[in-house]
Amino acid sequence: MTTLLIADDVFLEHKVPEGHPERPERLLAITDALADGRFAALDRRGARPVDDATLATAHTEAYVASVRAAIPESGEATLDADTYVSPMSFVAAASGAGGACQAVDAVIGGEVSNAFCASRPPGHHAEADRAMGFCLFANAVIAARHAQRVHGAERVAIIDWDVHHGNGTQAIVWSDPSILYGSTHQMPLYPGTGAVSETGAGNIFNAPLAPESGGAEFEEAFSTVLLPAVNAFAPDLIIISAGFDAHWRDPLASLNLREEDFAWATGEVMRLADRHCGGRIVSLLEGGYDLQGLSASVAAHVETLMKA
């Protein structure tokens, strides 16, 4: 078995204004990086959109309907100060959630060892009833609840190493002890959440990092907070909210991680997955806005996943 790559041209059709950091070129850079011969063994598949009922496993029905209603016939419309939609944005976002669910199916079904979904828009800032921070739908939560509803998973862990705290993921699972959420992120930084004191139903584990922290601080936070929490939780599936904007080149934050730090974290998660859930990992792209840093980090992440 090999690693599954979910990628689809539909994700390029989510248009944003010129100069917006969450742009289609992010995926083009990833596509170029994963065209290298060392990724020839990837199982490459497209994405299918999920229905509104699946989106409503993480969001209110009214919110899903409001996003659909906000889609313009042409140009772009705004859902908040940073979050835009264009004519194909609903389909692209629903396909991001769909690709995440397809990856869960393939990983739990034993078709592949693990999976990475190169999709956009990202998801971890989207709350149950509002869009935020470039995000429309909470892909990680939707995938986790799909694993529970369809495949009978009892416990799902979501590990988030995006430089921005996943306020949406945290808020949606706040009272759900069957889903663990663990995050490393820069603090202070948008969106302002992610303090150590935010613990939900005992299922939330935050490990904030000071500005200018590098690989050593990241490794310490990961090793002393996130990995022990997930190990004690003993999940049936691990989902990674894989943002790469903690890279030193990224323009939206000021952490100093390098590609090898993301490879190290990937390997550590893989060891936990091997121990508790047969290696089952689904990784979902979140942030990462410097094209060189993003593509190199994704390549290191996927190359490590392929060693399963």
Side-chain angles (χ1 to χ4, degrees), residues 3-299:
T3 294
L4 171 64
L5 172 64
I6 297 285
D8 200 294
D9 286 348
V10 71
F11 301 128
L12 302 176
E13 296 302 315
H14 170 59
K15 305 294 187 182
V16 293
E18 186 174 354
H20 195 286
E22 204 293 285
R23 58 207 191 277
E25 288 81 2
R26 299 176 64 231
L27 293 191
L28 297 176
I30 290 172
T31 298
D32 287 346
L34 299 184
D36 186 271
R38 68 187 189 274
F39 300 106
L42 286 171
D43 183 339
R44 299 170 187 260
R45 305 183 193 179
R48 299 183 302 273
V50 292
D51 58 19
D52 289 9
T54 301
L55 298 174
T57 61
H59 300 281
T60 66
E61 293 180 0
Y63 170 69
V64 175
S66 74
V67 175
R68 188 183 288 281
I71 301 298
E73 292 186 6
S74 62
E76 292 103 20
T78 57
L79 297 184
D80 80 350
D82 302 312
T83 310
Y84 291 81
V85 289
S86 58
M88 286 294 290
S89 292
F90 191 96
V91 176
S95 296
C101 292
Q102 289 168 240
V104 167
D105 293 339
V107 169
I108 294 182
E111 300 173 36
V112 295
S113 299
N114 49 45
F116 175 69
C117 299
S119 60
R120 56 178 293 277
H124 73 154
H125 293 309
E127 297 189 351
D129 58 357
R130 67 169 173 161
M132 280 185 66
F134 317 158
C135 301
L136 301 186
F137 299 127
N139 297 329
V141 180
I142 292 166
R145 290 187 168 155
H146 178 78
Q148 293 176 322
R149 292 184 306 114
V150 175
H151 298 284
E154 294 183 3
R155 297 173 306 282
V156 180
I158 300 172
I159 298 175
D160 188 340
W161 63 55
D162 191 280
V163 79
H164 303 94
H165 180 247
N167 60 291
T169 305
Q170 175 174 289
I172 294 169
V173 306
W174 182 264
S175 301
D176 183 354
S178 73
I179 299 178
L180 178 146
Y181 177 68
S183 175
T184 60
H185 47 275
Q186 181 179 323
M187 194 173 191
L189 192 65
Y190 179 92
T193 53
V196 173
S197 59
E198 298 166 14
T199 58
N203 60 323
I204 307 295
F205 297 86
N206 287 309
L209 300 169
E212 304 303 331
S213 295
E217 293 85 356
F218 172 72
E219 183 173 334
E220 180 180 5
F222 217 78
S223 298
T224 61
V225 180
L226 268 60
L227 294 177
V230 175
N231 187 51
F233 187 66
D236 301 312
L237 172 71
I238 298 175
I239 295 172
I240 302 173
S241 275
F244 298 98
D245 39 6
H247 192 277
W248 69 272
R249 293 180 56 95
D250 201 273
L252 296 192
S254 53
L255 294 189
N256 293 305
L257 271 59
R258 297 179 178 272
E259 298 91 286
E260 54 264 34
D261 297 312
F262 295 114
W264 172 84
T266 305
E268 292 300 303
V269 175
M270 290 171 70
R271 276 184 272 280
L272 276 182
D274 286 342
R275 180 179 304 159
H276 294 293
C277 54
R280 292 188 289 271
I281 295 172
V282 171
S283 177
L284 310 177
L285 179 66
E286 297 282 2
Y289 305 103
D290 176 83
L291 300 185
Q292 182 178 332
L294 171 65
S295 58
S297 298
V298 168

